[in-house]
Amino acid sequence: MAILEDGPNGGFRGKVGSVYGYKLNGEWVIRGVRTPSTKPPTAAQLLHREKMKINGEFCQRIKPILTFGYQFEAAKDLRRGAFQLGQKHVINSVIELDAASKPYLNMEKLQVFVGELMPPTGIEVRLENDILKLSWIPNPKYYDSIYKLNLALINPNKHMDFKMGVADAAQGECSIEIPVFKREKFDYHVYIGFWDMYKGTLSNSVYCGII
């Protein structure tokens, strides 16, 4: 079914009979039904499909983190939601090609949180049994208790863990029990970032290495 817009002389959006109507760059366009291409895909098309597959599977796995980490950026973008902005970041900045021209995830470039606050500095991370110990240099600007530290743990092929407000930014250190470390022996990439709980602002995340 099509929807007529701008009166009887306007364009239409949708399907009428065997044609489709839509608006492109401010102009109304009518086209016929697209038929599947019989041409074999090019190397570039195959590579793009592989990148999109990796992007889709990975972003879906860490969707709760991206939805939180990009929520304030999404408030500035009328076209994309938080998850879509996270997907765009991953496809544009995180997926790279190895020496054999195969796409892979460069986890060091992943930004799980984005925002205007200054990110943590001087970070040290270590694991003692199932206790994750974090330390950072307190920022004099963030001594109010509204500023918290967020933590994300990501294994690109298995699991993720996400903890909000694990400590005050002014503390400079914290110890966090991670139950999954008792159950599963996977490597996790660690990311932390500051969060202004009052204004709803984040810092960019900082990559802390693998534990």
Side-chain angles (χ1 to χ4, degrees):
M1 181 183 73
I3 298 175
L4 184 65
E5 300 192 13
D6 301 326
N9 295 318
F12 67 91
R13 192 186 308 273
K15 184 180 180 183
V16 175
S18 61
V19 298
Y20 291 83
Y22 58 97
K23 204 168 190 178
L24 178 65
N25 299 325
E27 300 290 336
W28 287 107
V29 178
I30 298 175
R31 66 166 177 82
V33 178
R34 289 195 177 101
T35 58
S37 175
T38 57
K39 297 179 180 179
T42 65
Q45 288 173 328
L46 291 173
L47 178 60
H48 179 71
R49 291 176 189 176
E50 193 170 356
K51 285 182 177 181
M52 294 300 293
K53 182 175 184 292
I54 292 173
N55 186 56
E57 292 176 351
F58 175 65
C59 290
Q60 194 62 43
R61 191 173 295 121
I62 65 168
K63 185 174 182 178
I65 301 177
L66 295 178
T67 300
F68 174 85
Y70 284 78
Q71 62 179 306
F72 303 117
E73 291 300 301
K76 307 172 188 176
D77 191 322
L78 299 178
R79 299 175 301 165
R80 301 181 183 90
F83 182 57
Q84 287 72 34
L85 288 175
Q87 287 181 307
K88 180 182 176 183
H89 161 67
V90 173
I91 193 70
N92 289 340
S93 302
V94 180
I95 297 179
E96 298 185 344
L97 299 181
D98 62 17
S101 296
K102 295 293 184 181
Y104 75 99
L105 293 162
N106 185 342
M107 299 296 287
E108 293 186 23
K109 293 189 175 181
L110 177 64
Q111 291 281 343
V112 294
F113 316 126
V114 290
E116 300 172 357
L117 296 183
M118 295 178 63
T121 59
I123 302 161
E124 294 185 6
V125 180
R126 69 183 188 276
L127 186 64
E128 296 182 3
N129 297 319
D130 61 332
I131 304 296
L132 182 65
K133 299 199 171 184
L134 291 164
S135 64
W136 60 94
I137 298 174
N139 188 322
K141 292 184 177 181
Y142 303 145
Y143 266 87
D144 193 290
S145 61
I146 64 172
Y147 296 103
K148 302 294 185 181
L149 188 80
N150 294 323
L151 168 69
L153 303 169
I154 299 173
N155 179 291
N157 301 310
K158 296 291 183 180
H159 304 293
M160 67 89 186
D161 200 354
F162 174 39
K163 299 186 181 300
M164 299 162 52
V166 295
D168 287 353
Q171 286 180 220
E173 61 180 9
C174 66
S175 297
I176 310 160
E177 184 176 2
I178 310 293
V180 71
F181 292 151
K182 288 183 177 179
R183 305 192 306 267
E184 308 286 356
K185 299 301 180 184
F186 298 123
D187 290 334
Y188 284 88
H189 298 265
V190 182
Y191 306 83
I192 64 173
F194 288 144
W195 175 26
D196 180 341
M197 298 176 63
Y198 178 70
K199 293 183 178 178
T201 309
L202 298 168
S203 74
N204 286 350
S205 61
V206 178
Y207 179 68
C208 306
I210 300 175
I211 57 173

